Structure formats: C-alpha cells, structure tokens
Amino acid sequence: NAGVMQNPRHLVRRRGQEARLRCSPMKGHSHVYWYRQLPEEGLKFMVYLQKENIIDESGMPKERFSAEFPKEGPSILRIQQVVRGDSAAYFCASSGTGGLSYEQYFGPGTRLTVT
Amino acid sequence: SQQGEEDPQALSIQEGENATMNCSYKTSINNLQWYRQNSGRGLVHLILIRSNEREKHSGRLRVTLDTSKKSSSLLITASRAADTASYFCAGQGGSEKLVFGKGTKLTVNP
C-alpha cells in the first residue's frame, strides 16, 4: 500500500528555468495539498486541489506558480522562471476525504535548489 | 498569520526522560494536529485532537488542548533516541488547510 509519492526528490535549477514537481497521492485519495518549507521553518500551505479543480489557492504566490491535478496522472506544481528565493522543500499531502478532521498523509518532499 | 507557535524551539533531554512541547495558536480551530519530521524527511502524523476534546493518548504520546487559552501540549514519555526529530503543531480552522508552527527540535541523548 504505497504512500504519497513525490518526484523528483531533489531538483536543481538555474535562475530563470522552470521547475515541475510531481505528486502521486495515496491510492484512493482524491484530495491533494501542497506545502512549502523554508529552512528551519514550519510548512506553509500553498494550494488544495481535487481532481480537475483548484479548491483553495490562497497560499500560492500570484505569479510564476501554478498547480493542477488532472483526471489522470499526478498532481503537478509548476514554478516558472525560478529565483533563488524559491529554494525550499515542497511537500505534497493527500487525504481520502476533504473537510475537517481528516488526516493528511505527507510525501517525502522535493528539495528544490535554485543556483 | 501563523496558527501554531511551538515552544521551546529546541529541547535536549536524556533517554528515559519525558519531553513536553507546547503550542499556542491565534485563531479558533476545529482541530489541532501534531506531526513529527525527521531530518530531511517528510512529516509523520502523530495525533489529532478535536476542539471539543481536552486530552488524547496514543502509546507514549499524550496531547492536551485548552481552547480557552488557545494552547496545546505534547508529552512524550520515556523518550528514546529514536524520538529525536522536529515536532510541529498544525491547526485546522474553517478550511482544510493546515497552518503550521515553526516546530520544536527535540534531541534525545542516549
């Protein structure tokens, strides 16, 4: 019973390039959440998606960041024209049901380094 | 605004001792959750306590919640070296997103 999978685990990009981070939720889960963690900080919510729908993107920067969760395939977090400040660990979580008081299961994260 | 704020920021104890971490939050919550993160790894869910609950146990973990003081505590009894990790509280309010604090870094010395 595989958990949440993220790839790549480590990603190095030069300034100005694009970064694509993938998240496959746990089997049977249709709710995906993306969080960002800066060094020595807690996680900050970015976006909450269900299949083909963005439910809450209140934590997403207004420019360069986008997320999708298509009907088939993994959820993608896309960062265009990366800058050094985008260097962080990006975590994806999934749950089987939306709403409150349901556990979110986290993936191992993608560590993005922008050089 | 930050929902959870843990203290202390760092805690170092000997194996066998108890570890207590506290969390304060600012706005009303539906539930509060505690997570553990080993260095460089993802988060592991430890325990969830609902706003109408005051105390919850899971193995060596005990969590309390005081909604009047907007605070929670996590107690790990009889700590082990393997408990060394960062511990985060996260509040869930009117939406599904979790709002995390900055965490407590726990070191358990053998």
Side-chain angles (χ1 to χ4, degrees), chain A residues 9 33 35 37 40-45 48 55-56 58 91 98-104 106-108 111, chain B residues 2 30-31 33 35 37 40-43 45 48 50 88 92-98 100-102 105:
Chain A
R9 294 290 307 277
Y33 314 80
Y35 294 85
Q37 184 179 33
E40 306 300 321
E41 296 274 327
L43 278 70
K44 296 273 194 301
F45 169 79
Y48 163 36
I55 307 302
D56 181 355
S58 58
F91 290 94
L100 305 176
S101 298
Y102 290 100
E103 181 179 340
Q104 294 179 18
F106 281 80
R111 274 147 189 84
Chain B
Q2 188 167 288
N30 178 277
N31 65 77
Q33 304 182 35
Y35 286 82
Q37 184 180 36
R41 308 288 292 273
L43 273 74
H45 186 268
L48 179 154
R50 291 183 170 78
F88 296 91
Q92 197 173 41
S95 68
E96 288 84 353
K97 68 183 179 186
L98 293 171
F100 285 84
K102 290 187 178 181
K105 192 172 278 191

Side-chain angles (χ1 to χ4, degrees), chain A residues 9-58:
Chain A
R9 294 290 307 277
H10 299 274
L11 182 62
V12 179
R13 285 286 178 267
R14 290 200 180 95
R15 278 181 298 169
Q17 291 184 319
E18 177 180 289
R20 290 171 71 90
L21 288 62
R22 294 175 190 77
C23 169
S24 296
M26 282 183 71
K27 189 176 180 182
H29 284 189
S30 59
H31 300 255
V32 165
Y33 314 80
W34 285 93
Y35 294 85
R36 177 165 64 176
Q37 184 179 33
L38 295 172
E40 306 300 321
E41 296 274 327
L43 278 70
K44 296 273 194 301
F45 169 79
M46 298 181 77
V47 63
Y48 163 36
L49 310 104
Q50 293 178 30
K51 288 278 187 182
E52 300 184 281
N53 284 306
I54 296 174
I55 307 302
D56 181 355
E57 56 181 348
S58 58

Side-chain angles (χ1 to χ4, degrees), chain A residues 36-103:
Chain A
R36 177 165 64 176
Q37 184 179 33
L38 295 172
E40 306 300 321
E41 296 274 327
L43 278 70
K44 296 273 194 301
F45 169 79
M46 298 181 77
V47 63
Y48 163 36
L49 310 104
Q50 293 178 30
K51 288 278 187 182
E52 300 184 281
N53 284 306
I54 296 174
I55 307 302
D56 181 355
E57 56 181 348
S58 58
M60 286 280 269
K62 294 286 184 278
E63 297 175 349
R64 302 187 297 107
F65 285 72
S66 62
E68 63 176 7
F69 189 16
K71 190 176 178 182
E72 301 290 337
S75 175
I76 307 282
L77 179 68
R78 184 179 174 212
I79 311 172
Q80 294 178 288
Q81 298 175 324
V82 295
V83 300
R84 287 225 171 96
D86 297 332
S87 294
Y90 292 82
F91 290 94
C92 163
S94 74
S95 65
T97 308
L100 305 176
S101 298
Y102 290 100
E103 181 179 340

Side-chain angles (χ1 to χ4, degrees), chain B residues 22-43:
Chain B
N22 302 298
C23 167
S24 60
Y25 57 92
K26 294 187 172 69
T27 59
S28 62
I29 55 167
N30 178 277
N31 65 77
L32 192 127
Q33 304 182 35
W34 284 89
Y35 286 82
R36 184 185 75 214
Q37 184 180 36
N38 289 83
S39 182
R41 308 288 292 273
L43 273 74

